[in-house]
Amino acid sequence: MNIEKFRELMLKREYVKANSELAEMFHKLAQEALKITVEINNKYHTPEEIVELFSELTGHRVDKTFRLFPPFYTDCGKNIILGQNVFINACCKFQDQGGITIGNNCLIGHNVTIATLNHDFNPEKRASITPNPVKIGNNVWIGSDSTILPGVTIGDGAIIGAGSIVTKNVPVNTVVAGNPAKFIRKIES
């Protein structure tokens, strides 16, 4: 299986049976991601070097305005798409097999987790998983220690309060916070 086929199946939210060819692709991509993130996380790199390493990690050309404060963790890497002027702070964890898209001018705080997979509820099939992408609009700020769950879309200009667990879509230009995250207020321009 090649990376294009993998991304196509993830986009279709293809059910991933344990021990299948697709599950094996997950393991292969995880090993590649581990190799690159160990390099990112274990010695100093200039911002330009980080852009190059992150481009290798994602398999896409990352814009020169991208900034990352390591360490950064992912168990795939190949299904992350970044806009321009994205900042990811230290200790973030992206489970991106299902797809993570981050728009322009986004700020991702310390220790943010973005998840795109759910295990099967049936105990007999628990090792199987279903992908569900996360989409983050432009000009979004995600506060430290927040978790974004599979299938969530965060609208342009939204703010996610620190420590929030985001379980459902966030409208454009709103502030949400809490566990689960709830509407706090509208942002007026």
Side-chain angles (χ1 to χ4, degrees):
M1 175 177 299
N2 63 29
I3 194 64
E4 290 77 22
K5 183 68 173 173
F6 168 78
R7 288 181 181 137
E8 175 189 326
L9 293 172
M10 293 300 95
L11 186 62
K12 292 180 179 178
R13 299 179 186 176
E14 184 78 18
Y15 182 75
V16 183
K17 291 182 184 176
N19 303 313
S20 66
E21 180 185 10
L22 189 51
E24 288 306 311
M25 185 64 165
F26 274 43
H27 295 295
K28 177 184 177 218
L29 293 174
Q31 291 306 304
E32 291 176 20
L34 285 169
K35 181 181 173 192
I36 298 166
T37 55
V38 163
E39 176 64 26
I40 289 171
N41 296 338
N42 289 298
K43 72 178 194 179
Y44 173 78
H45 294 282
T46 65
E48 296 79 16
E49 291 169 332
I50 290 290
V51 166
E52 292 303 316
L53 286 163
F54 220 81
S55 295
E56 181 182 351
L57 178 66
T58 63
H60 301 286
R61 185 76 199 139
V62 173
D63 191 78
K64 65 182 180 179
T65 59
F66 172 70
R67 293 295 178 260
L68 169 74
F69 285 177
F72 174 81
Y73 306 97
T74 182
D75 47 8
C76 180
K78 296 294 189 248
N79 220 356
I80 300 171
I81 298 172
L82 301 175
Q84 296 178 339
N85 200 36
V86 171
F87 172 70
I88 300 174
N89 219 322
C91 300
C92 289
K93 297 169 240 21
F94 287 13
Q95 180 197 55
D96 65 282
Q97 289 93 332
I100 297 173
T101 303
I102 300 174
N104 298 326
N105 307 309
C106 289
L107 304 171
I108 312 293
H110 289 90
N111 204 40
V112 167
T113 298
I114 302 175
T116 66
L117 302 174
N118 273 321
H119 287 276
D120 197 304
F121 282 19
N122 180 336
E124 307 292 317
K125 299 177 182 178
R126 189 68 40 88
S128 298
I129 50 182
T130 304
N132 205 351
V134 169
K135 295 177 184 165
I136 299 169
N138 297 319
N139 304 303
V140 171
W141 174 19
I142 300 177
S144 296
D145 295 307
S146 293
T147 299
I148 314 301
L149 293 181
V152 167
T153 295
I154 300 174
D156 292 348
I159 297 173
I160 311 301
S164 296
I165 309 296
V166 184
T167 61
K168 59 185 178 181
N169 293 346
V170 177
V172 170
N173 293 324
T174 58
V175 177
V176 300
N179 180 7
K182 294 185 181 350
F183 174 83
I184 302 297
R185 69 181 179 93
K186 187 86 174 138
I187 299 170
E188 303 299 326
S189 348

PDB file of all heavy atoms in Angstrom, residues 29-30 68 115 124:
ATOM      1  N   LEU A  29       4.082   3.447   9.083  1.00  0.00           N
ATOM      2  CA  LEU A  29       4.163   4.907   9.182  1.00  0.00           C
ATOM      3  C   LEU A  29       4.581   5.341  10.576  1.00  0.00           C
ATOM      4  O   LEU A  29       5.291   6.350  10.730  1.00  0.00           O
ATOM      5  CB  LEU A  29       2.825   5.536   8.788  1.00  0.00           C
ATOM      6  CG  LEU A  29       2.443   5.361   7.315  1.00  0.00           C
ATOM      7  CD1 LEU A  29       1.041   5.891   7.062  1.00  0.00           C
ATOM      8  CD2 LEU A  29       3.453   6.029   6.392  1.00  0.00           C
ATOM      9  N   ALA A  30       4.173   4.606  11.593  1.00  0.00           N
ATOM     10  CA  ALA A  30       4.581   4.924  12.968  1.00  0.00           C
ATOM     11  C   ALA A  30       6.091   4.824  13.121  1.00  0.00           C
ATOM     12  O   ALA A  30       6.717   5.674  13.772  1.00  0.00           O
ATOM     13  CB  ALA A  30       3.872   4.003  13.960  1.00  0.00           C
ATOM     14  N   LEU A  68       7.753  25.424  15.352  1.00  0.00           N
ATOM     15  CA  LEU A  68       7.503  24.342  16.296  1.00  0.00           C
ATOM     16  C   LEU A  68       8.509  24.446  17.427  1.00  0.00           C
ATOM     17  O   LEU A  68       9.708  24.612  17.176  1.00  0.00           O
ATOM     18  CB  LEU A  68       7.669  22.985  15.587  1.00  0.00           C
ATOM     19  CG  LEU A  68       7.689  21.748  16.476  1.00  0.00           C
ATOM     20  CD1 LEU A  68       6.287  21.434  16.980  1.00  0.00           C
ATOM     21  CD2 LEU A  68       8.254  20.546  15.715  1.00  0.00           C
ATOM     22  N   ALA A 115      -6.735  13.958  18.481  1.00  0.00           N
ATOM     23  CA  ALA A 115      -6.974  12.542  18.194  1.00  0.00           C
ATOM     24  C   ALA A 115      -7.901  12.394  16.996  1.00  0.00           C
ATOM     25  O   ALA A 115      -8.851  13.171  16.843  1.00  0.00           O
ATOM     26  CB  ALA A 115      -7.592  11.865  19.416  1.00  0.00           C
ATOM     27  N   GLU A 124     -14.675  -7.756  21.386  1.00  0.00           N
ATOM     28  CA  GLU A 124     -14.091  -8.771  20.506  1.00  0.00           C
ATOM     29  C   GLU A 124     -13.313  -8.132  19.351  1.00  0.00           C
ATOM     30  O   GLU A 124     -12.468  -8.781  18.745  1.00  0.00           O
ATOM     31  CB  GLU A 124     -15.182  -9.671  19.927  1.00  0.00           C
ATOM     32  CG  GLU A 124     -16.109 -10.290  20.954  1.00  0.00           C
ATOM     33  CD  GLU A 124     -15.395 -11.312  21.819  1.00  0.00           C
ATOM     34  OE1 GLU A 124     -14.621 -12.115  21.272  1.00  0.00           O
ATOM     35  OE2 GLU A 124     -15.597 -11.272  23.047  1.00  0.00           O
TER      36      GLU A 124
END
